[in-house]
Every structure is written in structure tokens, then in C-alpha cells.
Amino acid sequence: MLSVSNKLSKTSALGGFAAPARRSFAAVVDFWSEVEEAPRDPILGVTEKFLADTNPDKMNLGVGAYRDDNGNPVVLDCVREAERRIMGNKFMEYLPMGGFKEFCDHSIKLAYGDDNPLVKGNKIAAVQSLSGTGSCRLMADFMHKFKPDAKVYITTPTWSNHHNIWGDALVEKETFRYYKPETRGLDFEGMVEDVAAAPSGSFFLLHACAHNPTGVDPTAAQWQEISKLMKEKGHFPFFDMAYQGFASGDCVKDSQAIDIFLKDGHMVGCSQSYAKNMGLYGQRIGCFSLTCNSEEEKVAVESQIKRIARATYSNPPLHGALLVSTVLGDPELKALWYKEVKGMADRIISMRTALRGELESLSGDSWTHVTDQIGMFCFSGMTPEHVAALQGKSIYMTSNGRISMAGVTTKNVKRLATAMHEVMSA
């Protein structure tokens, strides 16, 4: 009789199944023992605390994602119809390095205007990007490669990821004054002084509309002064436009800063995102563009942007580009989108009015900055101590007092105002 081990050996020799041999391992060299845990993201950290809270009436006012008046996420009807049209009708092949050209063509028309001579003259280099963050990173990498000695000037304050993006791209950063805590509005005088003092040929990162986190935008007249000064200094304006249409409900009005700079003869850059204004947060769909002086220059610049994209993520995803190009390419769907994005903006504006009314009723003080500001966020003026106290009432926001107005509804605005009044009066 064969032993069990002999049977296994014989089975293996005949090509049958045999148990795998036991493997031995040498001592592993630890390459990563000195890696420290990264700091928690200030926005996502708020969400983690919110999710751990068991209070059914808890409020998440940290993340910048739109919600309806019941606090639910929204998929626009125009997007659902676009989904229906493209479902089963497209292949799943790779896009080119620059993305879906039809999408890019629609995007630059939206940002710069259909009748813009740069659009008609084919003088805008544009590629599909991984939403606004990806657009900004392409700009930062392009700067580092072709203007390595230039600095980028960033507003104080700004969206925290701006510093990560340009810092990781090894671009030297400076800040310039923008927000004035005493008035909870624009520090226009300080901004102009810093723009004038910056070395000629500097790059300025500007928020086209609905400044994040403050919600404070220059007026058209102020943009004109800023544009004139930057032109005199030879500065390059790069616009991060994450909220076109979402700020005022009017896509043309929300892009007025870019139009003012172009009319003054600037070359500009632009980052577009369709996360907020089309609700395509998870699709990571955006467009990065740079204006050029000729078609030949456009071809060269675009080729170099594509080269950066190739080494970073090779090529962008397809689905979001198809959704956006379907909506913007169909007159009826585009009209529906204009209506829906205005509806989102109008709800935010109405919640600003309601919150201001409740706060002024409770405190007797002026809260005009709540309605003077625009877009997704309200820079409330609350301190980190106030914000920490609100967490004890199951209300969550970033420590700088930024309120995501998308999380405010007709059902919770009174509770929010009462809680704010209580912690600020303590």
C-alpha cells in the first residue's frame, strides 16, 4: 500500500493536482518604517465626524456638494436624459491624451463665449482634465516646466488644495491679500497693493466666481481695475472656475471676469469643472485651457499639455465627457441645464436670505455678509472655538467657519441660526 505522501507524489507526476509546496521567506526589509501618517484632510475629516454622530438631526455643512431642500443628493434631469441617450451606444475604447474633442470644444465656448475671436480662430489650447483639481495640476506642471522661475500668487484664504497642488508641482508660492475679516468682505486695497508689489510676470491664481471659501467676489468695476493693473505689470491670470452658473444662476455673468481680462488683451488660463454646476462630482470631468496668440502656438502648447497628461494619467475617462457634450450639444438639453443650474443657485440664494433673517432676528445685529457673499459657501466669521461648540450640537463645518449653504434647508435653517447665536453669545 502507498503512503499518503507517495500517493501525492505519484499524482503530481501524472499531471494531477498536488498540494503546493510550503514556501519559506527571508527577513523582509522594511522600506516604509519612517513614513508618517499624513495630516487629516480638513474637509473630509469633518465628514468622518458627521458619519460617526448618531443624532438623527445632525447637519453636515462641510462638504461642497449640492443637496435639495430635503437634504438629498441631486441628479439633474438633463444628465439623466443624456445618460439614457448614450447608454449602449458608445464603445469603451481609450480616449486620446487630450480627451474627447467635442467635449473640449463645448467647454471653451461655455467659458470664453461662442463668438469669442480666440474660439473662432482656433487659438485656445484645451484638454479634458480630471475635474478642477486635475486642471489646476496640469497648469502647475506646465508652469514648472516652461516658466520655472515664476511664482504663483494665491489668495488668502483659498481652497486648501490649491496649496497642495502647486506645492507638489514644485512651483514657488506666495499669497496675496483678498479677504478682510473686519468687514467680512473683499480687501480690495490690500489686493491691489499686493498685485502691484509682485515681480513683473508673476502668475496669479484667481477664482472666476463664488470664491472658495469666502463667497466674496470683486465687482465688475473692481475686476476691471485688477485687470488693468495686472496688464501693466505683465502678470498672467489663471482662473479657477469651479462654479460657472452655480454662483448667480447665469453662466455668462459668472464668467464676466474672464471676459474683462480678455477684452484688456490678456492671455489667460482657465480651469473648468462640471462637478458643481452639472452635479457630476464622481465623474471627475473638467477642462484645462490656455489662450494663445496663433494657431501654431496653440498646437505647440496643447501638445506639451498632452505630454504632461500622458505621464500623469495617460488619458481621461470617457463617460463624463459624453454626458457633458450630450447636454451642451443639444439645444433642448442645454436649455434644460440652464434652467436646472439656475434652480440650484436660486435655492442657495434663498437659504442665504433665510439664514440672515433668522440670525438678525435672534441677535439684533447685521448679518448682511451672508447675502452679500455668493455661491456654495458662506464665510460666517465664526471662530474655531465656535465651530467646536457647534459639533456638540451635531452641526459640522470646517474650523474656519465656512458653511456649505447646500446643506441648509427650510427644515433646518432655524435650528442652525439658533445654534450659531447660542455659541457666539456664550
Side-chain angles (χ1 to χ4, degrees):
M1 180 181 289
L2 290 171
S3 68
V4 173
S5 60
N6 286 341
K7 285 181 178 179
L8 288 172
S9 298
K10 191 169 183 178
T11 302
S12 179
L14 293 174
F17 171 79
R22 186 182 298 273
R23 299 177 65 188
S24 60
F25 294 90
V28 176
V29 177
D30 191 344
F31 283 90
W32 316 119
S33 60
E34 297 179 0
V35 176
E36 298 179 354
E37 184 177 353
R40 178 176 292 184
D41 183 275
I43 298 174
L44 300 183
V46 171
T47 301
E48 291 175 5
K49 291 181 180 179
F50 169 80
L51 292 173
D53 192 327
T54 57
N55 184 346
D57 296 323
K58 60 187 178 181
M59 297 172 62
N60 186 357
L61 306 178
V63 178
Y66 182 76
R67 298 291 184 262
D68 66 16
D69 196 47
N70 293 314
N72 296 321
V74 173
V75 178
L76 301 184
D77 290 339
C78 63
V79 171
R80 285 296 190 210
E81 175 58 21
E83 270 191 320
R84 187 191 67 77
R85 293 185 188 184
I86 67 176
M87 183 174 58
N89 292 327
K90 303 292 180 181
F91 291 105
M92 303 294 176
E93 296 294 312
Y94 289 125
L95 283 175
M97 288 181 288
F100 190 40
K101 186 177 184 306
E102 184 180 336
F103 161 80
C104 293
D105 290 343
H106 285 304
S107 293
I108 61 174
K109 288 178 182 178
L110 184 67
Y112 299 97
D114 292 80
D115 298 325
N116 189 298
L118 294 169
V119 174
K120 290 188 171 183
N122 195 29
K123 296 179 183 179
I124 301 178
V127 300
Q128 181 186 335
S129 64
L130 304 183
S131 202
T133 300
S135 294
C136 287
R137 183 55 191 255
L138 286 173
M139 180 63 198
D141 285 337
F142 193 81
M143 272 186 67
H144 179 63
K145 187 170 185 178
F146 294 102
K147 295 291 181 181
D149 297 326
K151 296 179 181 180
V152 64
Y153 282 74
I154 301 174
T155 64
T156 302
T158 192
W159 178 48
S160 59
N161 211 24
H162 281 151
H163 287 285
N164 297 333
I165 292 165
W166 267 267
D168 283 2
L170 304 180
V171 175
E172 187 175 355
K173 299 178 296 174
E174 296 283 355
T175 58
F176 66 100
R177 284 171 285 178
Y178 187 86
Y179 177 76
K180 197 168 187 175
E182 295 82 4
T183 62
R184 296 173 187 172
L186 183 69
D187 185 359
F188 184 66
E189 294 78 12
M191 182 181 183
V192 167
E193 287 178 8
D194 289 348
V195 169
S200 296
S202 296
F203 284 65
F204 276 78
L205 172 56
L206 304 170
H207 300 226
C209 62
H211 182 274
N212 180 3
T214 70
V216 174
D217 289 349
T219 65
Q222 288 171 331
W223 275 126
Q224 288 166 357
E225 289 191 50
I226 296 164
S227 172
K228 181 181 178 182
L229 178 57
M230 286 195 177
K231 187 73 185 300
E232 292 172 355
K233 292 285 296 184
H235 295 328
F236 185 92
F238 179 69
F239 291 94
D240 187 353
M241 187 161 60
Y243 298 96
Q244 187 180 12
F246 193 94
S248 68
D250 183 336
C251 288
V252 174
K253 182 178 180 180
D254 289 348
S255 61
Q256 69 173 345
I258 294 176
D259 189 53
I260 288 168
F261 276 69
L262 289 176
K263 286 178 178 177
D264 283 346
H266 286 273
M267 296 180 71
V268 306
C270 181
S271 162
Q272 290 171 267
S273 167
Y274 292 93
K276 307 297 192 299
N277 60 11
M278 213 171 274
L280 300 177
Y281 304 96
Q283 298 298 336
R284 309 311 297 144
I285 179 67
C287 184
F288 168 52
S289 58
L290 292 171
T291 64
C292 301
N293 281 324
S294 67
E295 270 194 85
E296 293 76 18
E297 185 176 285
K298 176 256 185 185
V299 170
V301 168
E302 197 170 277
S303 72
Q304 292 291 352
I305 299 171
K306 290 175 182 177
R307 188 176 181 185
I308 293 170
R310 173 65 169 162
T312 308
Y313 53 83
S314 195
N315 41 29
L318 174 63
H319 191 66
L322 290 174
L323 290 174
V324 175
S325 58
T326 300
V327 171
L328 296 183
D330 181 276
E332 290 186 4
L333 285 185
K334 190 174 183 180
L336 176 58
W337 175 59
Y338 282 149
K339 179 182 177 181
E340 290 186 288
V341 74
K342 187 178 187 305
M344 290 191 289
D346 286 348
R347 195 188 84 75
I348 296 293
I349 292 168
S350 71
M351 287 300 96
R352 287 182 177 277
T353 301
L355 179 60
R356 174 188 168 184
E358 293 287 351
L359 287 168
E360 290 183 343
S361 175
L362 288 165
S363 67
D365 298 326
S366 172
W367 283 82
T368 56
H369 66 282
V370 175
T371 50
D372 288 343
Q373 296 169 10
I374 194 169
M376 179 77 79
F377 302 112
C378 169
F379 216 46
S380 66
M382 287 188 290
T383 66
E385 292 74 24
H386 294 145
V387 172
L390 284 176
Q391 290 183 5
K393 299 176 181 292
S394 297
I395 298 172
Y396 298 88
M397 64 186 69
T398 52
S399 62
N400 59 6
R402 187 195 78 169
I403 298 172
S404 176
M405 292 302 299
V408 183
T409 70
T410 54
K411 301 174 183 64
N412 65 25
V413 64
K414 188 176 184 67
R415 177 171 167 252
L416 171 61
T418 300
M420 289 174 61
H421 176 66
E422 288 174 353
V423 301
M424 296 182 77
S425 301

